[in-house]
Amino acid sequence: MKRAFVRARRPEHKQQRREEILAAARDLAMASGVRNVSLGAVAEAVGLAKSNIMRYFGTREEIYLILAADEWHQWAAAVTARLEAPSDDAAAPVTTRLEASSDHVVAALAETLADRPLLCDILSQTATTLEHNVSVEAARTFKRAILAVIADLGSQVARTTGLTVGEGTELVSVATAFAGVLYPIANPSPTLAELYAQDPVIAATCPDFLPTLSRALKALAAGLPTLRED
């Protein structure tokens, strides 16, 4: 049932209304995918007219950029927790420790992404839709937020492995970029799902998200040091 509209007048009420809008947009995206959520659907979910939604957010895309930044920060916290977990290879030779550390980092990046379908969905939509139809200030705020996350995680990766800070940053960047490309392929549309059910040969070409992402990141982590200039 559609909720009755009550104008938010006090600052705390306005902040509560913003949080309600963001929560509704998040729930709708989790249910049907970011690309399928309209501003009208968000408005209906919180009992507002579309014009009233725009009192709080300029566009639908702006709503999802804010949610994207929040998802990035939650992902970073999960990766950090994994990287800070004690290791069992402290007594192993240096080469073995570095290989184990690299595997640990790849697992931390890939598995935490696989655990966050909303983030992966947002990653798949960011460059193609969500960074369009937003103000320069909204884009700036978003970019600064994710660049800070990437820089911080890149430094953590470098401390954990034999990679440089630049290489660690590249590994983190590629992890999110590849996750954004791979996620919609590994989670096909209803039409493709039906096709795969009918044709096992074609279905075999549909990649599994986590193994494919992990393998690509492991190859990149191993290859980056070989590209260093003397």
Side-chain angles (χ1 to χ4, degrees):
M1 183 174 66
K2 187 174 181 179
R3 297 165 48 186
F5 170 66
V6 178
R7 185 179 298 280
R9 299 185 183 279
R10 298 173 64 87
E12 59 269 29
H13 295 161
K14 292 179 180 179
Q15 181 59 32
Q16 182 180 0
R17 181 61 53 78
R18 283 178 58 90
E19 291 172 0
E20 290 174 351
I21 293 168
L22 290 170
R26 179 187 297 275
D27 290 345
L28 289 167
M30 289 293 293
S32 61
V34 173
R35 68 186 299 271
N36 296 314
V37 181
S38 66
L39 188 61
V42 176
E44 183 176 2
V46 292
L48 297 175
K50 286 168 56 175
S51 58
N52 287 321
I53 291 282
M54 295 178 70
R55 293 175 180 269
Y56 301 92
F57 304 98
T59 62
R60 163 196 173 274
E61 289 76 17
E62 183 180 327
I63 292 172
Y64 280 107
L65 281 190
I66 293 170
L67 288 174
D70 182 59
E71 287 291 316
W72 272 82
H73 282 108
Q74 290 185 40
W75 174 63
V79 174
T80 297
R82 290 281 298 268
L83 296 183
E84 291 179 349
S87 173
D88 296 328
D89 62 346
V94 172
T95 302
T96 302
R97 289 204 307 270
L98 290 177
E99 290 176 355
S101 296
S102 178
D103 289 348
H104 178 56
V105 164
V106 166
L109 294 173
E111 291 173 10
T112 52
L113 283 166
D115 287 341
R116 286 165 175 74
L118 178 57
L119 174 58
C120 292
D121 188 16
I122 287 174
L123 289 171
S124 75
Q125 298 293 317
T126 299
T128 56
T129 59
L130 300 185
E131 291 180 340
H132 301 257
N133 195 32
V134 295
S135 67
V136 171
E137 191 55 38
R140 178 183 291 113
T141 299
F142 171 67
K143 285 294 190 183
R144 284 178 172 172
I146 65 169
L147 289 174
V149 167
I150 291 171
D152 179 60
L153 288 181
S155 295
Q156 292 186 50
V157 168
R159 290 195 297 270
T160 306
T161 65
L163 298 176
T164 66
V165 172
E167 290 164 352
T169 301
E170 185 172 351
L171 184 64
V172 173
S173 298
V174 170
T176 55
F178 191 38
V181 173
L182 181 61
Y183 181 78
I185 301 172
N187 295 271
S189 67
T191 299
L192 284 182
E194 182 177 350
L195 171 62
Y196 295 157
Q198 296 174 4
D199 194 325
V201 174
I202 298 178
T205 67
C206 181
D208 290 330
F209 181 84
L210 181 56
T212 305
L213 179 60
S214 297
R215 182 177 174 83
L217 295 183
K218 188 172 183 178
L220 178 61
L224 281 170
T226 70
L227 300 176
R228 294 173 186 167
E229 296 182 358
D230 296 333

